[in-house]
Amino acid sequence: MDKLTNEEFEIKYNMYYQSLLRLAYNYTFNTSDSEDIVQDVFIKYYKCNKSFESDTHEKNWLMRVTINQSIDFIKHKSKVLISNDYINDLPDTSDADSKNEDLKVYVNMLDYKYRTVIILFYYDNYSINEISNILNISENSIKVRLNRARVKLKELVGDKKWLKKI
């Protein structure tokens, strides 16, 4: 990849910024921290001399770097709290708002590897194949993580009947 021109970089920035910000926010639950992470990701992107096979490959690389940056950020932060801003920013997955809010809180309680696949699959509507490419793990591993995440969610939720959607 040749060095990006400022115009090319701005196009890519505008194209990917919102999805990367949402992805980072799924880990940090803080807008400022997420913005910092995405800024770091774009700095790495601007400086990298990597050739991308396609736009999809490029986007997957950016998402993978964002996930890694987010996890590194959390490892260095002593405590991460679930914020109401995060809950309000996720798209609805249920007709009833109170049920939806409860579900988002439970999703946030999952380990990172389970939360990541749930968010990418249910909230960002990626296919199993796309998630596999983004996370660079096999489709079978994605399926296993989704199933384990669903089981963990059901354990967290208890006998709430409305969770049948997941």
Side-chain angles (χ1 to χ4, degrees):
M1 171 176 162
D2 295 329
K3 187 93 168 155
L4 287 173
T5 66
N6 288 342
E7 185 177 305
E8 291 170 330
F9 179 78
E10 187 175 337
I11 290 168
K12 298 294 183 175
Y13 180 87
N14 291 332
M15 187 182 310
Y16 298 124
Y17 179 80
Q18 286 300 319
S19 61
L20 297 179
L21 183 65
R22 184 175 48 247
L23 183 60
Y25 197 77
N26 290 331
Y27 288 88
T28 66
F29 314 119
N30 181 288
T31 303
S32 297
D33 293 337
S34 301
E35 290 170 344
D36 290 344
I37 289 168
V38 173
Q39 180 180 2
D40 290 344
V41 169
F42 276 108
I43 289 170
K44 284 183 179 189
Y45 172 71
Y46 187 77
K47 289 181 177 181
C48 86
N49 290 322
K50 185 170 178 58
S51 289
F52 297 103
E53 299 166 9
S54 65
D55 287 342
T56 302
H57 180 237
E58 180 180 56
K59 183 177 181 181
N60 289 346
W61 184 87
L62 286 165
M63 292 181 76
R64 183 73 249 168
V65 172
T66 302
I67 290 168
N68 290 341
Q69 289 285 115
S70 299
I71 290 171
D72 287 347
F73 173 83
I74 290 169
K75 284 180 183 176
H76 293 94
K77 191 172 182 174
S78 61
K79 188 175 181 182
V80 176
L81 299 174
I82 298 171
S83 80
N84 287 333
D85 289 341
Y86 169 73
I87 292 169
N88 292 334
D89 285 348
L90 283 176
D92 288 342
T93 58
S94 172
D95 292 336
D97 287 340
S98 64
K99 293 175 186 175
N100 186 35
E101 297 302 319
D102 289 345
L103 181 57
K104 290 175 186 176
V105 171
Y106 291 122
V107 168
N108 288 325
M109 291 177 175
L110 296 173
D111 291 337
Y112 302 121
K113 65 182 180 179
Y114 300 126
R115 182 182 337 146
T116 299
V117 294
I118 288 288
I119 288 171
L120 290 174
F121 188 77
Y122 287 105
Y123 291 103
D124 291 336
N125 296 315
Y126 285 102
S127 69
I128 289 174
N129 179 272
E130 291 170 322
I131 297 169
S132 171
N133 290 329
I134 290 166
L135 299 180
N136 198 26
I137 57 178
S138 72
E139 287 186 34
N140 285 335
S141 294
I142 299 299
K143 291 175 186 176
V144 168
R145 287 185 185 185
L146 274 171
N147 286 330
R148 288 181 181 166
R150 290 179 191 119
V151 168
K152 290 183 181 296
L153 276 173
K154 288 178 183 176
E155 288 172 2
L156 287 170
V157 171
D159 30 325
K160 297 202 181 208
K161 306 288 186 221
W162 51 265
L163 190 59
K164 290 180 182 172
K165 185 173 184 176
I166 291 185

